[in-house]
Amino acid sequence: MSIRPLSVTGGASRRFAADHDLLDLFADIMAARAADRHARGQRRADAPSRSDADRLSLSLGAYASALEQYRLPVPPVIRDELRLRRGLPS
């Protein structure tokens, strides 16, 4: 009786690509949140008004789209924040 290894290379490589994509997008969200928090803390006239908030909104949208593309659920916190930010005037 011989033992054959299971073929997992295709599934594993797809899973790795999904994890890598999602980690990159989540890192973008975290950086955009930090920039938005920093911009909101500034009360100077030369501070960017909406660019950091727009960047965060775009990052959240890209992350949610990627999750849906990989058929993964969008966490309620991300979904709700995205809905709120889309509803805010630019």
Side-chain angles (χ1 to χ4, degrees):
M1 177 160 110
S2 66
I3 298 174
R4 285 185 270 161
L6 295 174
S7 174
V8 293
T9 56
S13 65
R14 273 195 310 269
R15 185 76 237 158
F16 176 76
D19 290 346
H20 185 70
D21 290 345
L22 293 173
L23 284 173
D24 283 347
L25 291 169
F26 192 73
D28 289 344
I29 289 174
M30 297 308 291
R33 276 192 178 139
D36 185 51
R37 241 182 278 121
H38 180 71
R40 282 187 286 136
Q42 296 176 342
R43 297 291 182 221
R44 300 186 331 239
D46 62 338
S49 59
R50 295 288 305 162
S51 64
D52 292 316
D54 291 341
R55 176 181 166 206
L56 179 54
S57 206
L58 289 172
S59 296
L60 288 166
Y63 187 66
S65 294
L67 286 170
E68 290 169 355
Q69 177 185 355
Y70 292 118
R71 299 180 190 270
L72 296 170
V74 177
V77 172
I78 299 288
R79 184 192 62 228
D80 294 345
E81 185 176 0
L82 186 56
R83 284 181 183 160
L84 282 171
R85 291 192 173 276
R86 285 182 176 161
L88 294 175
S90 297

